[in-house]
Amino acid sequence: GMVAARLISKAGSLVSLAKCPASTVQILGAEKALFRALKKKGNTPKYGLIYHSTFIGRAATKNKGRISRYLANKCAIASRIDSFIEEPTTKYGESLRSQVEERLEFYESGKAPKKNIDVMSAVAKELAAAREELEKGETKKEKKSKRKADDEEGAAKKKKKKAKKEAEAEEPPKKKKKKDGEKEEKKEKKEKK
């Protein structure tokens, strides 16, 4: 968490960190040591801000440089995923973290870790399956809500018709009255003539 925040801060933004190669991510924060090493033709630094990660603290001294490089690779991948993915998810980050754990174990016991392509494709499949289920659920919900709206509309129309019929039944027809009145007036006019 803190290391990621520091790396983003040092790079300027998540997108600019995503644009950095893994080798740059590895030594972010150790620019002074890097330029000193280049100037004096010495050894370049193995780690920058990434050194504060617990993974490097847990590694044996001889493996610190190796795990630093591996962690920088995973950080670079994670920053690119987070920066350009359409639907943010923690699945990729969790799988990348488990890969670093496996790599630490590999340095200690020699147990072969999983390949990155297998892990990433597994996560992609899992997310695709979850998306499909979500879409199915949404279409069902849409159908239900549409049906409900149609039912409500139908009920409202029935109520209006019923109310109209009741109103017509209660009120005597007005048009006939007027005609009766007109007939009477015509009769009176004829009588006058």
Side-chain angles (χ1 to χ4, degrees):
M2 277 299 292
V3 177
R6 283 181 183 178
L7 286 171
I8 291 168
S9 171
K10 188 74 183 171
S13 71
L14 182 60
V15 176
S16 53
L17 181 65
K19 288 175 184 173
C20 289
S23 56
T24 305
V25 174
Q26 186 181 348
I27 57 168
L28 263 181
E31 287 83 0
K32 206 173 175 182
L34 173 70
F35 295 126
R36 190 191 321 118
L38 293 172
K39 196 175 177 184
K40 294 182 179 176
K41 295 187 174 73
N43 292 334
T44 52
K46 290 188 184 83
Y47 17 65
L49 290 168
I50 222 167
Y51 185 78
H52 299 290
S53 167
T54 53
F55 290 115
I56 293 169
R58 280 160 52 194
T61 313
K62 62 174 184 174
N63 294 328
K64 280 194 193 305
R66 291 166 81 187
I67 200 74
S68 166
R69 185 174 65 246
Y70 191 80
L71 184 59
N73 291 338
K74 297 304 164 193
C75 284
I77 292 169
S79 66
R80 287 163 196 168
I81 290 169
D82 287 349
S83 186
F84 302 113
I85 199 166
E86 288 171 8
E87 296 169 11
T89 178
T90 57
K91 300 276 184 199
Y92 284 107
E94 286 160 9
S95 65
L96 289 168
R97 187 186 175 90
S98 68
Q99 277 186 288
V100 180
E101 294 277 6
E102 278 178 17
R103 184 54 59 133
L104 266 176
E105 202 178 300
F106 166 68
Y107 290 149
E108 287 166 19
S109 63
K111 185 188 170 191
K114 291 175 194 166
K115 288 187 175 176
N116 187 54
I117 186 77
D118 298 336
V119 175
M120 289 292 136
S121 55
V123 174
K125 281 177 188 172
E126 192 182 319
L127 288 172
R131 199 178 297 118
E132 278 178 24
E133 278 182 29
L134 191 72
E135 283 171 4
K136 281 180 186 174
E138 279 178 5
T139 52
K140 282 181 183 175
K141 280 181 185 175
E142 282 172 14
K143 282 178 184 175
K144 276 185 182 176
S145 60
K146 197 177 179 185
R147 230 180 272 144
K148 201 176 181 184
D150 290 346
D151 291 347
E152 284 173 5
E153 231 175 81
K157 281 180 182 175
K158 281 179 185 175
K159 278 184 183 176
K160 278 184 183 177
K161 280 183 182 177
K162 201 176 181 183
K164 207 174 183 182
K165 281 181 182 177
E166 284 173 4
E168 283 174 7
E170 285 172 12
E171 292 177 17
K174 292 176 182 177
K175 289 178 183 176
K176 286 179 181 176
K177 275 187 176 179
K178 282 183 183 176
K179 283 179 183 175
D180 293 343
E182 284 173 12
K183 282 178 185 175
E184 284 171 17
E185 282 176 21
K186 283 179 183 176
K187 280 181 185 176
E188 284 171 15
K189 282 181 183 176
K190 280 180 183 177
E191 283 171 11
K192 282 179 185 177
K193 284 179 183 176

